[in-house]
Every structure is written in C-alpha cells, then in structure tokens.
Amino acid sequence: MITMDNIIREGNPILRQVAEKVALPATEEEKNTLRDMLEFLKNSQDEALAKKYHLRAGIGLAAPQLAISKRMIAIYLDDSDGKHYEYMLFNPEIVSESVENIYLEGGEGCLSVDREVPGFVPRHARIKVKAFDPDGKPVKLRLKGYPAIAVQHEIDHLNGILFFDRINKDDPFKIPDHVAEHNEL
C-alpha cells in the first residue's frame, strides 16, 4: 500500500525530470504500480483510511511522485455534477487543447508540495488526451473543467513541471487573457 512516506517531495530532482515512456505491453510490475497509485487515491479520499494511515487527500498521482520516472498517471475524482472519473493511464499525451483557459479559485495543491503556494494556475479549459490503459488498449479522452485540470497537473509531473511553475511570479493572482474562473474543488 502506498502511503505519504512513498511520495517524494519538492526538491527531489526526479520531480524535475522528463519521465520515460513506458514500453508497451507494460510489465506486471508497472501495471501493479498503476493499480497501487489508484488505490492510494481511493484510500486518501476515504476519511477513515486517510486518518488511520495519515494520508493527504489526492485526486491524481503521477509515477515520478513515487520516484519512478515513467509516464504513468492515475486519476480519481468526481466533478461538480457528480460524474465520476477514474483512470489508470500509460503514456498520456495531450493532443489538442482549447484556447480558453480556466483556473481553480482556491489554487492548486500537490501531494509532493508540503506548503501552500498561493496564486492562480491557468490550465486549458478543454483537452483531448490519448493514452493506453493497463491492458495496452488505446484510450482517447475528451475532458473539460475539473477533470481536465487534474489530468494537466499530472501530465505536467511527467514533464518535470510543478503547478507553481505556472503561477505568474510577479502577480500570482493576475488573471491572464482567455481565462475563466473554475469554482470546483
């Protein structure tokens, strides 16, 4: 079981590396790691388990956060309409994105960042992603809003980017052009 002790924190150089593509078909070890990543997210959102194992709640996790420099992400969240999103993806890639951007009013957080970093993180409002599921089958996703933000955050991890890299350094709460606020948490 993955716990907070397994998650590396900012300052670790692995978080700044571009992760390697996973050779498909994935190994059983890689598939198991992806399943464990999803299980962590589920556990972290379960109040009793989170308290018992001292887990911080998360909606997404990327393999580099576990010191595994491979292109693997897991997502587990519900949007404001109650729609459930649950993904285990190998080699996710954004293939198109909207001109319109959004941001979370309360900013973003990260399991690998133990401090609050105030500021707006602009993200594309809509994205199309192609990836592979644990069985090696191609996956195409069209995402908007909160799920799109989460997937972009995790794909950033695969490219050595942390969310605060996207915050305007001179004016963290400046709203850039083509940006609308997204109130979901």
Side-chain angles (χ1 to χ4, degrees):
M1 180 176 122
I2 295 172
T3 68
M4 292 304 297
D5 292 339
N6 301 108
I7 296 174
I8 61 174
R9 303 308 204 278
E10 76 176 296
N12 188 308
I14 292 173
L15 291 174
R16 293 302 188 171
Q17 294 174 3
V18 175
E20 297 290 323
K21 276 194 168 186
V22 176
L24 298 175
T27 66
E28 282 307 309
E29 182 181 2
E30 289 164 337
K31 291 178 191 179
N32 288 334
T33 297
L34 207 45
R35 286 185 202 103
D36 290 345
M37 290 164 59
L38 184 65
E39 179 190 43
F40 169 86
L41 296 173
K42 290 177 179 180
N43 292 345
S44 78
Q45 293 178 38
D46 180 302
E47 229 174 281
L49 289 173
K51 185 175 181 181
K52 180 178 180 179
Y53 295 107
H54 310 286
L55 306 177
R56 280 177 44 205
I59 60 167
L61 189 62
Q65 293 178 272
L66 300 172
I68 300 168
S69 192
K70 293 185 180 180
R71 300 186 80 78
M72 302 162 47
I73 67 170
I75 299 288
Y76 187 79
L77 65 92
D78 294 323
D79 68 14
S80 59
D81 296 327
K83 184 175 177 189
H84 184 67
Y85 296 81
E86 182 174 325
Y87 303 116
M88 294 184 290
L89 303 174
F90 287 117
N91 303 328
E93 178 185 348
I94 296 171
V95 293
S96 71
E97 56 207 23
S98 64
V99 172
E100 179 192 6
N101 290 311
I102 56 176
Y103 64 90
L104 292 175
E105 182 183 18
E108 291 184 21
C110 179
L111 295 167
S112 292
V113 179
D114 289 332
R115 61 191 173 97
E116 279 202 33
V117 183
F120 298 144
V121 182
R123 301 278 185 192
H124 298 285
R126 292 175 308 285
I127 59 172
K128 289 182 188 170
V129 175
K130 68 177 188 177
F132 296 90
D133 73 9
D135 297 321
K137 292 185 182 121
V139 175
K140 289 183 181 173
L141 305 173
R142 295 172 69 109
L143 301 169
K144 65 181 182 177
Y146 193 44
I149 289 171
V151 169
Q152 288 171 85
H153 179 112
E154 299 313 322
I155 289 176
D156 271 357
H157 275 301
L158 304 181
N159 295 318
I161 298 167
L162 294 172
F163 74 93
F164 52 76
D165 297 338
R166 297 195 178 277
I167 296 173
N168 183 314
K169 305 293 179 258
D170 298 324
D171 186 357
F173 294 101
K174 179 177 187 235
I175 300 172
D177 294 338
H178 308 293
V179 173
E181 175 186 314
H182 192 72
N183 287 312
E184 218 165 334
L185 282 179

